Amino acid sequence: MPAGNARVVVVLPDGQELRASLYERRRVPDGWQYRVAITIWGTGSSGRQEPVERAVWLDASHVRPLEGGDYSAVPTRPAAPVGRAAARQAWTVQNLPHRSGHPGARLVHVNGCQPGATPIDLDQALDALQQPRTVPCRECNAASSFTPAD
């Protein structure tokens, strides 16, 4: 288990409970959100089934601590300043379909590069880029948009 990672229970919409890894937490205007990852079966680059980890941000109502868990090493993001609370959606994500012999993929773009792609904010873009088969678009040089300007 990576440092700063703890185990939690995630409650699914149908009431099922799964154990997950807690990677970080952040304060939001109406409480807390937790970035958790669940290991599920997915299709690998070879086309075979293999375990893959999927990470998402969830509201506190969907995450429960395991008894005796130590969360002191879990990174905690402070609340966003009031002027930044509604983060600008400066990126988009495009899902590319699965084709014979090629698994599906996702591209993260700078807003405006790909008409019809789904708008996302900075946290969503960074989370997406941590997922398998997700890359920044080369056409709009999306990777450079995540580096602070000097």
Side-chain angles (χ1 to χ4, degrees), residues 62-121:
H62 304 297
V63 180
R64 228 180 42 227
L66 284 174
E67 189 174 330
D70 178 14
Y71 303 104
S72 60
V74 175
T76 303
R77 293 185 189 187
V82 175
R84 195 178 150 230
R88 196 172 58 122
Q89 294 185 322
W91 296 271
T92 59
V93 65
Q94 175 189 18
N95 293 312
L96 302 174
H98 176 82
R99 295 177 288 133
S100 179
H102 299 281
R106 293 179 356 159
L107 287 175
V108 173
H109 302 276
V110 171
N111 199 12
C113 173
Q114 184 64 39
T118 305
I120 56 176
D121 63 25

Side-chain angles (χ1 to χ4, degrees), residues 23-148:
Y23 287 106
E24 60 184 314
R25 53 192 169 181
R26 66 183 173 197
R27 177 68 93 174
V28 292
D30 57 344
W32 286 93
Q33 289 183 333
Y34 300 95
R35 186 167 164 268
V36 300
I38 299 171
T39 302
I40 60 172
W41 290 107
T43 304
S45 58
S46 66
R48 295 181 180 209
Q49 295 291 294
E50 60 186 46
V52 294
E53 187 175 79
R54 299 289 186 230
V56 296
W57 282 99
L58 294 175
D59 291 334
S61 61
H62 304 297
V63 180
R64 228 180 42 227
L66 284 174
E67 189 174 330
D70 178 14
Y71 303 104
S72 60
V74 175
T76 303
R77 293 185 189 187
V82 175
R84 195 178 150 230
R88 196 172 58 122
Q89 294 185 322
W91 296 271
T92 59
V93 65
Q94 175 189 18
N95 293 312
L96 302 174
H98 176 82
R99 295 177 288 133
S100 179
H102 299 281
R106 293 179 356 159
L107 287 175
V108 173
H109 302 276
V110 171
N111 199 12
C113 173
Q114 184 64 39
T118 305
I120 56 176
D121 63 25
L122 176 61
D123 284 337
Q124 293 167 318
L126 294 173
D127 286 344
L129 288 167
Q130 292 180 14
Q131 300 302 316
R133 293 187 300 281
T134 301
V135 296
C137 174
R138 289 183 182 168
E139 295 295 316
C140 63
N141 197 15
S144 69
S145 69
F146 298 106
T147 340

